[in-house]
Amino acid sequence: MTLIRREALRAGFSLGALTLLAGCDLSDHDAVQNVLARFSRWNDRVQAALFSRSRLAPTFPEVMAVKEFRYNAWYGPDKAPRLNPADYRLQLAGRIENKRPWTVEELYALPQVSQVTRHVCVEGWSMIGKWSGAPLRTFLERIGADTTARYVGFECADGYYEGIDMPTALHPQTIMAYRLSDEILPAKYGYPFKIRIPTKLGFKNPKFVTAIYVTDKQPRGYWTDRGYNWFSGI
Amino acid sequence: MTLRYDEQRHPLSRRVLHWIMALSILIMIGSGWRIYNASPIFAFIVFPEWITLGGDVQTSLARHGDPGVASAIAWHFAAMWTLALSYLLFVVWGFVTGHFRRDFLPIGPKSISRDFVAALALRLQHRLGEYNAVQKAAYVGVLVMVGLMILSGLAIWKPVQTYPLELLFGGFQGARLVHFIVMAGIVLFLLVHVALTLLVPRTLQAMVLGRAAGPRHTAVSETVR
């Protein structure tokens, strides 16, 4: 049997076959979305199992840290909330012994660590930065959070909301970042602090956090509600 | 005994795995293009939306407030399981049953270049039931490429938990680049593979029904007409 010849023209059919696939895009059907959501929940479980409490995200030499970090939000930097330290109070809720709200001054007095780690966006870009702040674990212990609970949730001044699994919340590199590149976190990057989690995708790193709660019910997430995977570990 | 006909046989396991892989790969490519568009590696390469997988952008915006990237990622992270599983089974099966040894060997640069030149000159023959050197190289090549896709994909999905896997590809962005380039290789394979199948439809018949026979491999072109 032979190949090609003038029939080679028919190779054009293969292109047609590919476009057929796109033409019958099923993504918007409820049934398809349900199947995909099921896979996503399965992926949550796989990722939770893959997550190692002791494995650290790679750290980099400080010279590799970007000074002008990429701004990323669904609104422009001028629209970012500007919180006034005089009346800012971090609210606490859920399975926490001492729910007294915290001031910026009190938060910033916690023992701090620095990390030069890589921020990985779900879209694919990545950027190395230097963040400093208190380990979230230290804070959770100070406020008497029940660390046997399953989740920690966050609410933010810009309407954002996120939540993470407790093992990630207790991970040594999960910090309340007060500083970026040694500067107090500028307003557009989330003053007074952002939750910096180098073992999660960027969107699991909420900024301008105004409330923290501890719960057994999986917290919703802004982008998770828009179809992204909940665990989103890396 | 001499066969009066050339014959191509594909056992059921091979056919099922082939088609699961084929569908998974199409889903991976279509959704991967939509994901790529969200943050293109090369500014001058952006995939037209209609050819990507992830649903209608306006519907998705109304439904989720997201332009279908979430759907594309959901497709990608679903089909990765069906692809990885079927691929693993296919490769293990291929080695265990001797399919790879029987049908892909011997293979060498000499026979590949000879058959490649013949193919370019449109003189390469296709004999049912026996792969020519270019076919062998293409099938081994695409299996290696899918393996590379799974590895580089793992490095992109889990750069922390699989660290230092990404270093194999020159870091996280290196892994993205490898994932992209190898994708192009697989698309190229796909185009040629589908085109040649259309030229020799009996191969498609064999991959669907399990068996196809044609007149004994003799002169050029008699069976294509």
Side-chain angles (χ1 to χ4, degrees):
Chain A
M1 214 161 294
T2 151
L3 275 201
I4 326 186
R5 300 202 127 193
R6 60 183 179 275
E7 290 92 342
L9 280 176
R10 290 163 66 180
F13 281 127
S14 56
L15 265 178
L18 264 184
T19 61
L20 263 179
L21 176 85
C24 61
D25 195 328
L26 302 165
S27 305
D28 300 321
H29 288 256
D30 283 330
V32 173
Q33 285 289 333
N34 284 341
V35 171
L36 294 179
R38 245 176 229 199
F39 267 105
S40 196
R41 283 194 295 275
W42 156 255
N43 281 328
D44 284 343
R45 289 204 294 278
V46 172
Q47 293 180 89
L50 275 178
F51 180 78
S52 157
R53 288 159 199 257
S54 54
R55 179 182 277 274
L56 297 181
T59 54
F60 302 86
E62 205 167 322
V63 290
M64 291 177 72
V66 172
K67 294 284 173 286
E68 276 300 305
F69 208 81
R70 175 166 169 171
Y71 172 81
N72 202 50
W74 68 94
Y75 50 81
D78 49 317
K79 295 273 198 315
R82 286 169 194 280
L83 302 183
N84 180 355
D87 44 46
Y88 172 90
R89 295 289 182 276
L90 176 65
Q91 304 295 326
L92 303 176
R95 292 169 59 170
I96 292 170
E97 263 173 42
N98 187 350
K99 296 189 177 112
R100 181 184 57 81
W102 282 55
T103 64
V104 174
E105 202 182 348
E106 288 169 323
L107 287 169
Y108 281 22
L110 287 168
Q112 297 178 30
V113 293
S114 283
Q115 59 173 252
V116 179
T117 51
R118 184 174 55 200
H119 172 112
V120 176
C121 179
V122 66
E123 293 177 342
W125 57 270
S126 62
M127 202 170 257
I128 294 169
K130 182 186 181 186
W131 288 273
S132 316
L136 182 60
R137 179 183 201 129
T138 307
F139 180 70
L140 291 175
E141 284 166 354
R142 288 284 173 97
I143 59 178
D146 178 1
T147 52
T148 65
R150 297 183 62 191
Y151 305 104
V152 178
F154 309 98
E155 286 184 13
C156 310
D158 58 351
Y160 201 73
Y161 47 97
E162 253 310 336
I164 56 174
D165 50 298
M166 187 60 79
T168 299
L170 299 178
H171 188 271
Q173 287 174 314
T174 299
I175 65 172
M176 307 163 87
Y178 309 142
R179 288 170 184 270
L180 172 62
S181 314
D182 295 320
E183 307 282 333
I184 292 288
L185 206 60
K188 65 173 180 174
Y189 294 120
Y191 178 88
F193 72 93
K194 77 176 276 172
I195 301 291
R196 170 68 195 133
I197 313 174
T199 57
K200 294 274 194 206
L201 287 174
F203 75 83
K204 299 291 280 187
N205 292 235
K207 303 178 276 193
F208 335 94
V209 177
T210 52
I212 295 182
Y213 58 99
V214 175
T215 175
D216 272 334
K217 184 171 174 273
Q218 191 180 77
R220 290 166 52 192
Y222 184 90
W223 289 111
T224 309
D225 281 350
R226 283 151 183 81
Y228 291 86
N229 171 259
W230 187 84
F231 194 92
S232 285
I234 59 175
Chain B
M1 186 189 102
T2 16
L3 275 174
R4 289 174 54 209
Y5 293 96
D6 282 336
E7 186 183 48
Q8 174 78 66
R9 281 179 182 277
H10 291 304
L12 183 66
S13 55
R14 189 187 301 161
R15 279 179 280 147
V16 169
L17 291 174
H18 168 272
W19 288 111
I20 295 177
M21 283 196 291
L23 183 65
S24 304
I25 287 172
L26 286 180
I27 293 174
M28 292 306 267
I29 292 172
S31 58
W33 286 350
R34 174 83 60 107
I35 299 167
Y36 168 94
N37 278 354
S39 183
I41 299 174
F42 304 103
F44 54 93
I45 301 179
V46 177
F47 298 97
E49 199 181 283
W50 59 267
I51 208 174
T52 67
L53 187 65
D56 179 63
V57 171
Q58 292 312 317
T59 308
S60 189
L61 274 173
R63 184 174 193 148
H64 304 299
D66 175 79
V69 178
S71 275
I73 291 173
W75 274 112
H76 214 70
F77 288 174
M80 72 178 183
W81 290 107
T82 55
L83 176 60
L85 266 176
S86 53
Y87 174 79
L88 221 69
L89 283 175
F90 191 89
V91 170
V92 169
W93 237 269
F95 279 115
V96 170
T97 61
H99 163 48
F100 288 174
R101 184 173 37 78
R102 260 193 329 271
D103 298 324
F104 293 167
L105 295 180
I107 184 174
K110 233 187 208 160
S111 55
I112 293 174
S113 60
R114 182 198 61 215
D115 283 3
F116 188 68
V117 169
L120 288 183
L122 310 184
R123 277 190 291 100
L124 187 60
Q125 311 202 338
H126 182 276
R127 181 182 179 183
L128 275 177
E130 188 184 309
Y131 300 147
N132 62 53
V134 170
Q135 269 184 296
K136 288 176 183 174
Y139 297 152
V140 171
V142 78
L143 285 171
V144 169
M145 285 195 288
V146 172
L148 270 174
M149 285 310 263
I150 293 173
L151 274 185
S152 57
L154 201 57
I156 296 166
W157 184 45
K158 291 274 148 198
V160 172
Q161 304 305 328
T162 65
Y163 198 84
L165 178 63
E166 65 171 50
L167 296 184
L168 210 64
F169 304 104
F172 179 74
Q173 292 301 333
R176 278 185 78 208
L177 188 61
V178 169
H179 207 62
F180 183 80
I181 292 169
V182 179
M183 174 279 294
I186 291 176
V187 169
L188 192 69
F189 166 85
L190 237 160
L191 291 174
V192 176
H193 187 56
V194 172
L196 295 187
T197 301
L198 291 173
L199 289 179
V200 191
R202 281 200 182 89
T203 56
L204 179 63
Q205 186 194 331
M207 195 46 96
V208 173
L209 301 176
R211 181 182 176 276
R216 214 163 145 64
H217 153 74
T218 48
V220 170
S221 78
E222 77 183 332
T223 45
V224 167
R225 298 243 164 78

